[in-house]
Amino acid sequence: MEPGRHRGASMRQKRSYGRVLLVSVLVGCLEVALTTVVVLLYVRTQPPPDTPPDWGRIAAALVPLTGIVAVVAFLLSLLFVLPAVALSDLLGRRVGERAAWCCVPLLVAALLAPPVWAFASYNDARTRPVLLFWAAATASLSAGARIARLRGEGLTRRVARWGGALVAGTGLFGTLGLVTGVLPPYEPPVIGPAALAGAWVDHTGNTLTFTADGRVTASGVAVHSPGDTSGSTPPGCSGTGTWTYEPGRDPWSQRVRLDVPGCDWPEWGVGGTGREPRIHQSVGGPGSRELYQLRKATSGWPR
């Protein structure tokens, strides 16, 4: 090979650390986007919270949050990914590119170890969460470092294209899974009369105690009026009366009716999970989706 051509080939092979930084930041942002999609899909398989999320406010917060994510991804890439790639390049000259590529996670883990363990020691953090965080951070940053080490024209465009397709595809197929039932959406447990027997406790310790013979005793259970919100303090009601369970046509239409003199409660719906069933009432006006919930008490509950 002619000397001029050899020098040209060497220059073409010279790594652009600016591109490494850009690709690593892009991978970090795509990882956050993918995690967000997965979390949103997972939420659809779980019981609704007492207070529903304000999706409009969440969407509005995503705009500035995107910039924050990009800044954090840039700093992490600058502090950990870029040094790991540079060290792997030095290592590659001795052991070869393939071995150096395989060693990237070890280099990232080594670079992360001092700040992670310093933070953990200063805050007296428990060992297991620290190890899990260290492993997760290593895996996340190693993905960016390994992808950023790849050579070839148009790497940034390919990462953006395929990464965006992965995020969009996850959201699309996850939504299809929820619609078709492949990914089971949340539905309340079918509790039945036998499961109702026992004590049910709200977030402040007030109780409804059901007995198998159809009797119920209330102790300070809230009676909400139309227009109440989760932040209001409704009056409590105590007394003894009767209860009936109506199975309804499906899990969503189960109802528990209470007849306690002086306590004007509408019918109670059923929610929660099979391991932690709940009965609830809607709080506020129509469409508010806020819930006042009582959980089935178990040994050691409430905490």
Side-chain angles (χ1 to χ4, degrees):
M1 181 181 292
E2 297 178 6
R5 294 182 61 186
H6 179 76
R7 286 195 300 271
S10 299
M11 290 181 67
R12 284 195 298 271
Q13 293 297 320
K14 187 176 181 180
R15 187 180 304 284
S16 169
Y17 287 100
R19 190 182 72 164
V20 168
L21 186 61
L22 177 60
V23 171
S24 176
V25 171
L26 180 58
V27 170
C29 292
L30 289 170
E31 287 176 337
V32 172
L34 181 61
T35 302
T36 302
V37 170
V38 171
V39 168
L40 290 175
L41 291 172
Y42 175 75
V43 166
R44 294 299 304 273
T45 68
Q46 300 302 302
D50 293 359
T51 302
D54 187 341
W55 294 111
R57 183 173 296 179
I58 292 174
L62 287 178
V63 176
L65 186 61
T66 302
I68 295 174
V69 168
V71 170
V72 172
F74 173 81
L75 292 175
L76 292 175
S77 298
L78 188 65
L79 293 174
F80 301 108
V81 174
L82 215 58
V85 171
L87 290 172
S88 70
D89 284 343
L90 293 175
L91 189 62
R93 296 171 188 171
R94 294 181 175 272
V95 300
E97 278 294 305
R98 184 181 297 274
W101 188 82
C102 293
C103 289
V104 166
L106 297 177
L107 295 171
V108 172
L111 291 167
L112 279 170
V116 168
W117 290 106
F119 178 84
S121 299
Y122 181 79
N123 292 279
D124 293 326
R126 297 171 60 184
T127 302
R128 184 179 179 184
V130 172
L131 290 175
L132 290 175
F133 173 79
W134 186 31
T138 297
S140 175
L141 294 176
S142 295
R146 280 181 158 181
I147 294 173
R149 285 192 86 255
L150 299 175
R151 302 179 189 272
E153 296 296 328
L155 176 62
T156 305
R157 291 193 301 273
R158 294 200 304 273
V159 170
R161 182 169 62 249
W162 289 106
L166 176 62
V167 173
T170 301
L172 175 61
F173 285 106
T175 302
L176 289 175
L178 288 171
V179 172
T180 60
V182 174
L183 184 63
Y186 168 76
E187 66 176 25
V190 178
I191 57 175
L196 275 170
W200 297 72
V201 191
D202 70 6
H203 62 286
T204 59
N206 302 312
T207 61
L208 282 174
T209 303
F210 297 83
T211 60
D213 61 357
R215 305 291 296 174
V216 62
T217 300
S219 177
V221 176
V223 180
H224 289 89
S225 301
D228 284 350
T229 64
S230 57
S232 60
T233 305
C237 190
S238 301
T240 301
T242 59
W243 65 271
T244 56
Y245 167 77
E246 299 177 0
R249 64 183 182 277
D250 56 44
W252 291 98
S253 57
Q254 298 174 93
R255 293 293 181 266
V256 180
R257 298 184 183 274
L258 306 183
D259 183 11
V260 178
C263 300
D264 187 19
W265 291 304
E267 58 190 13
W268 297 74
V270 175
T273 64
R275 297 182 61 182
E276 189 181 83
R278 306 175 186 180
I279 57 175
H280 62 255
Q281 291 186 334
S282 296
V283 177
S288 71
R289 296 191 299 166
E290 292 189 26
L291 300 176
Y292 170 58
Q293 302 197 82
L294 278 70
R295 295 170 173 82
K296 183 72 178 288
T298 58
S299 58
W301 204 98
R303 295 182 177 88

